[in-house]
Amino acid sequence: MSQESEYSEGDLRNTGMSLKHDREWDYELERIVEAVEEKDAKKIGLQFPEGLKRRGPKVADDLRELVPEDVTIMLSGQPCYGACDLDTYLMKRTDVFVHFGHSPMKDTDKVIYVPLFSNVEVTPIIQEALETLESPDELPEVGLVTTAQHMNRFDEMRDFLEQQGYEVKTRRGDDRLTHEGQVLGCNYASADVPADQVLYVGGGKFHPLGLAMEHPDKHVVIADPVNNVVTVADTEKFMKQRYGAVHRAMDAEKWGVIFCTKIGQGRWEKAQEILEGNDDAYLITMDEVTPDRLRNFDMDAFVNTGCPRITTDDGPRFHKPMLTPGEYEIAVGNEPLENLEFDTFHGTW
C-alpha cells in the first residue's frame, strides 16, 4: 500500500512525475577551483536545490581532490527552491559560494551559478507534441518556453519547430530571467508573446500549470523530455482551490501579513500597502514560510507577500486560509472575484 502524500490533492507537486532515469551534469569544478585560487579562498560554500542535495557530498569529495588541504568545504542544509533562495548566512561566511541548478537572477560577483544543463534529448518529445499542437496550417504561431536546465538546447527546439512550418515566438521576459524563452515557477513573462499556443519543454507540470494560469488565454502544451510524456495544462482543479481559499477568507477579521526575508522574495512595499489599509493586519517576518511556523499565530487568515508558489502549492496545508496579495484584495472587497489571477514575481533584489 502506497504511503499517503503529505500534500493536498491541489498541490502542483502531485502532478509531476518522478524521474525515470538519472542524469549526469557538468558541475564546472574547474571554474570553482579557479575562483578558489584567485581569491586564495579558505572556505567554500555549496548550495544545491532540494532534488540535488544528495549529490552534494560527491561534489565536495571531487573538489577536495582539486583544492589545497586547508580549504574547508561546507554544504548548505537550508531549503532551496530557486535562484531567489540563496543561503545568505553561508554566503557571507565563505570566500567562494556556489549555487547549483539555477541560472543567475542578478549579476553579482558574490555567487558562482552553475546551471547544470540537462543532457536529455528534446527533439523526440517535441516531435510527439506536434500531434497536440495546432498544425502550422491552422495556427502558425507558437510560443516556446523552457526552464534553465534545458536552455542549452533552446536553439535546437526552435530550429526543429521552424522546420515543421511554425513561426516560433520567443522573448526574454524581464530582469528576473536570464535567458530568452526561460520561465521560472514565479515568472512567466517570457510566454507573453503573440501566439495563442505555447509549447513548454521541460520536466513535470509545476512550471506549465503556473504558465497556464498566468496566461489563461493560451493553449499550453507540455512536452516533458524527462518522463517522455506530452500533456495539456489543465488549471480547473487548481483554480477551484484558489476560489475556495478566497471564499473562506472573506469573513476574516485578523490578518497575518507575511514578509519573507529571503534575498529574492521580499516585497516590502506590497506588505506595507496592505498594512496601511487594514488596522487589523499584523506584519509577520520569516524566512521559511511553513504551516507549523504559523500555527501558533491567532489569525483568521494570512496573506503572503513572499514566494507565490508557497501560497498556491502549499496553501491547503495551512490551518487558516493563505492568500496572495491579489486574492487578499478580493477577499476584503476591494476587487471583484472575477479579477482572480495568478501571482507572479518581477524584478530581482
Side-chain angles (χ1 to χ4, degrees), residues 108-257:
T108 175
D109 58 1
K110 297 182 180 180
V111 184
I112 296 176
Y113 287 90
V114 179
L116 300 181
F117 291 126
S118 172
N119 61 8
V120 176
E121 295 290 339
V122 295
T123 302
I125 198 65
I126 297 178
Q127 174 73 58
E128 186 176 337
L130 297 179
E131 299 179 6
T132 306
L133 288 169
E134 295 291 337
S135 73
D137 295 331
E138 299 179 3
L139 200 61
E141 297 87 5
V142 60
L144 176 64
V145 296
T146 189
T147 59
Q149 285 69 39
H150 299 283
M151 287 308 311
N152 57 323
R153 295 184 179 271
F154 191 71
D155 289 341
E156 179 183 338
M157 302 175 196
R158 177 164 42 200
D159 290 345
F160 180 81
L161 288 170
E162 289 177 346
Q163 291 169 9
Q164 307 306 311
Y166 288 100
E167 295 179 24
V168 182
K169 305 294 185 180
T170 63
R171 67 185 293 260
R172 179 192 172 192
D174 60 27
D175 290 340
R176 199 171 180 85
L177 301 159
T178 307
H179 307 284
E180 179 180 350
Q182 180 187 4
V183 293
L184 303 175
C186 61
N187 188 305
Y188 306 97
S190 293
D192 189 12
V193 294
D196 292 332
Q197 58 181 343
V198 174
L199 178 65
Y200 164 84
V201 181
K205 296 182 180 179
F206 178 86
H207 291 84
L209 279 177
L211 190 162
M213 287 180 286
E214 170 70 2
H215 299 281
D217 56 322
K218 297 184 185 297
H219 176 61
V220 179
V221 176
I222 307 166
D224 184 342
V226 177
N227 297 293
N228 197 33
V229 292
V230 175
T231 52
V232 175
D234 182 2
T235 65
E236 181 180 0
K237 180 186 296 185
F238 181 87
M239 292 306 293
K240 287 181 178 179
Q241 177 205 106
R242 300 317 308 155
Y243 280 123
V246 172
H247 277 291
R248 291 195 302 275
M250 285 181 174
D251 295 329
E253 296 182 1
K254 293 174 63 177
W255 286 85
V257 182

Side-chain angles (χ1 to χ4, degrees), residues 35-55:
V36 171
E37 295 173 349
E38 180 181 331
K39 298 182 178 182
D40 191 24
K42 300 303 179 184
K43 295 179 181 178
I44 305 173
L46 307 180
Q47 184 180 28
F48 294 84
E50 296 309 288
L52 292 178
K53 276 187 167 62
R54 62 188 177 88
R55 299 293 189 97

Side-chain angles (χ1 to χ4, degrees), residues 12-30:
L12 297 192
R13 282 169 296 190
N14 278 351
T15 64
M17 298 178 65
S18 60
L19 294 180
K20 291 184 178 179
H21 59 276
D22 207 353
R23 295 176 289 180
E24 293 299 328
W25 290 279
D26 176 9
Y27 293 93
E28 301 188 26
L29 299 185
E30 292 181 2

Side-chain angles (χ1 to χ4, degrees), residues 203-311:
K205 296 182 180 179
F206 178 86
H207 291 84
L209 279 177
L211 190 162
M213 287 180 286
E214 170 70 2
H215 299 281
D217 56 322
K218 297 184 185 297
H219 176 61
V220 179
V221 176
I222 307 166
D224 184 342
V226 177
N227 297 293
N228 197 33
V229 292
V230 175
T231 52
V232 175
D234 182 2
T235 65
E236 181 180 0
K237 180 186 296 185
F238 181 87
M239 292 306 293
K240 287 181 178 179
Q241 177 205 106
R242 300 317 308 155
Y243 280 123
V246 172
H247 277 291
R248 291 195 302 275
M250 285 181 174
D251 295 329
E253 296 182 1
K254 293 174 63 177
W255 286 85
V257 182
I258 300 169
F259 173 75
C260 184
T261 58
K262 289 187 176 182
I263 189 170
Q265 297 183 13
R267 287 188 282 186
W268 180 254
E269 293 79 9
K270 179 62 67 175
Q272 287 297 305
E273 179 184 321
I274 295 171
L275 291 168
E276 290 172 2
N278 190 338
D279 292 336
D280 294 315
Y282 303 85
L283 185 66
I284 302 173
T285 65
M286 57 201 324
D287 53 0
E288 192 72 10
V289 183
T290 66
D292 288 343
R293 288 188 171 192
L294 292 179
R295 189 168 295 278
N296 290 329
F297 285 100
D298 182 25
M299 301 292 169
D300 300 316
F302 297 94
V303 53
N304 175 32
T305 66
C307 175
R309 299 307 292 253
I310 293 173
T311 305

